[in-house]
Amino acid sequence: YTHYYNAYGKSSLSYFEKDPIKRDAYVDEAETELGEAETLLGKDNDEIFVLKAMIAQARMSVDGRNRWQEQGKIFEENLKKAKELNEKNPRIYYLKGTSTYFTPKMFGGGPKKALPYFEKAAALFAMESDSDISKPFWGKQANEYFIEQCNKKKKEDERKEEQKKED
């Protein structure tokens, strides 16, 4: 589990770094750690595929304009594989939600489109236990944060609509 959590940590850290070269270095390290975890596991696993998707998302976030096509495809393929193995893994929907949230509206994204993914993840997170370290349980708090953000945006949009009607 050490390699898995190292991969998760490095991938997450990449978002807090400003320098794109250092961000890529974190993602490279995450990929190496995940490769070790996958080798040790020796079989397909939904959590490995979810983390592969997360790493693709992290790599894409470093330079989205030039990487979205290649890394977006890797992201989607890995979420699909994870879902085939365990469609009740909440991290699948959480990552799909974050991807949709940060995709511009004109390309089919935004908070409104992301909210159903976060809500589905929330229901699945509620069924998950965090008492067994051998079973990943990350993402629940961040998912709750994104639900709040989506609902704030929804309320803002509703207020703007009301304002337009009054004007």
Side-chain angles (χ1 to χ4, degrees):
Y1 308 109
T2 307
H3 293 292
Y4 174 89
Y5 286 109
N6 276 339
Y8 169 72
K10 301 268 184 184
S11 181
S12 298
L13 274 174
S14 72
Y15 287 96
F16 296 98
E17 177 58 55
K18 301 243 186 283
D19 180 346
I21 293 168
K22 289 179 182 174
R23 289 183 73 187
D24 270 334
Y26 275 127
V27 179
D28 290 343
E29 290 174 24
E31 214 161 41
T32 300
E33 289 288 347
L34 188 59
E36 290 290 325
E38 190 172 23
T39 299
L40 290 170
L41 189 60
K43 62 179 181 175
D44 282 348
N45 175 286
D46 60 307
E47 295 293 353
I48 296 287
F49 288 122
V50 166
L51 208 45
K52 283 183 177 183
M54 183 181 180
I55 288 169
Q57 192 175 45
R59 195 169 298 287
M60 193 173 10
S61 77
V62 176
D63 183 7
R65 185 168 296 180
N66 293 306
R67 296 182 180 177
W68 70 270
Q69 282 185 302
E70 179 188 353
Q71 295 303 317
K73 185 177 177 188
I74 293 168
F75 174 82
E76 292 295 340
E77 285 171 356
N78 281 294
L79 286 186
K80 183 180 176 199
K81 289 175 186 174
K83 196 173 182 181
E84 287 168 3
L85 291 171
N86 179 11
E87 67 182 23
K88 292 187 177 180
N89 184 327
R91 282 161 292 287
I92 295 167
Y93 308 98
Y94 162 68
L95 286 182
K96 185 68 178 160
T98 59
S99 174
T100 304
Y101 185 91
F102 290 110
T103 297
K105 266 190 200 175
M106 64 184 176
F107 296 119
K112 186 177 179 179
K113 298 269 179 143
L115 185 58
Y117 293 112
F118 293 129
E119 290 172 335
K120 182 165 186 161
L124 294 171
F125 276 124
M127 299 184 327
E128 208 172 52
S129 169
D130 62 2
S131 64
D132 183 355
I133 192 78
S134 72
K135 294 184 176 126
F137 56 88
W138 57 267
K140 184 177 182 177
Q141 288 178 317
N143 193 71
E144 291 168 2
Y145 167 81
F146 279 106
I147 288 173
E148 281 179 34
Q149 296 308 303
C150 289
N151 285 327
K152 278 184 191 174
K153 180 72 174 127
K154 190 175 173 181
K155 285 178 184 166
E156 285 173 20
D157 291 347
E158 287 168 359
R159 272 197 299 272
K160 286 178 185 174
E161 282 301 313
E162 285 299 315
Q163 196 65 39
K164 282 182 186 175
K165 288 177 185 175
E166 290 173 12
D167 290 345

